[in-house]
Amino acid sequence: EVQLVESGGGLVQAGGSLRLSCAASGITFDYSAIGWFRQAPGKEREAVSCISSSDGDTYYADSLKGRFTISSDNAKNTVYLQMNSLKPEDTAVYYCAAGFSGSCLGIYDYWGRGTQVTVSS
């Protein structure tokens, strides 16, 4: 059974940092793309970042480049999202998802339950 468990969310003041973790079981990161998504209340889910096993590339939403960094520890089957200079508009539930195609542009087959990030002004 594939499971993705996010952690690291919480309440932080604007300008602060958080590091989210996505721990996976039942899959091998070597053949997966792991993406981070977020959904704020009343808004649609949006893609945040992704790390691809097929080409090793990382992808970021244009509005987040320079503030968020995605990384992977394949030995621990864990993907991290380092979020710096957080803004109140970053407040959302953050989800990680895994896609077996290995491409960030492919289908995401499994999703975690999310972790809440709240940024106060």
Side-chain angles (χ1 to χ4, degrees):
E1 180 185 3
V2 176
Q3 284 191 327
L4 302 173
V5 180
E6 303 94 336
S7 62
L11 174 64
V12 64
Q13 288 188 332
S17 299
L18 285 173
R19 188 177 80 156
L20 304 184
S21 299
C22 173
S25 60
I27 61 171
T28 302
F29 276 9
D30 290 348
Y31 304 102
S32 303
I34 305 297
W36 283 99
F37 298 80
R38 69 184 184 183
Q39 187 165 20
K43 295 187 177 181
E44 293 187 355
R45 185 177 64 199
E46 63 173 336
V48 172
S49 183
C50 175
I51 187 164
S52 169
S53 64
S54 62
D55 56 16
D57 279 352
T58 57
Y59 299 87
Y60 298 92
D62 287 342
S63 61
L64 302 176
K65 288 180 181 178
R67 294 196 298 123
F68 289 15
T69 303
I70 193 169
S71 61
S72 176
D73 185 337
N74 288 359
K76 295 182 178 180
N77 252 22
T78 300
V79 168
Y80 304 98
L81 184 69
Q82 178 67 43
M83 307 186 296
N84 298 328
S85 302
L86 284 163
K87 304 175 181 180
E89 51 263 43
D90 294 318
T91 295
V93 178
Y94 285 71
Y95 301 89
C96 68
F100 290 144
S101 71
S103 169
C104 287
L105 300 179
I107 295 173
Y108 288 89
D109 303 279
Y110 294 94
W111 292 78
R113 293 187 175 184
T115 184
Q116 176 70 47
V117 172
T118 303
V119 184
S120 63
S121 58

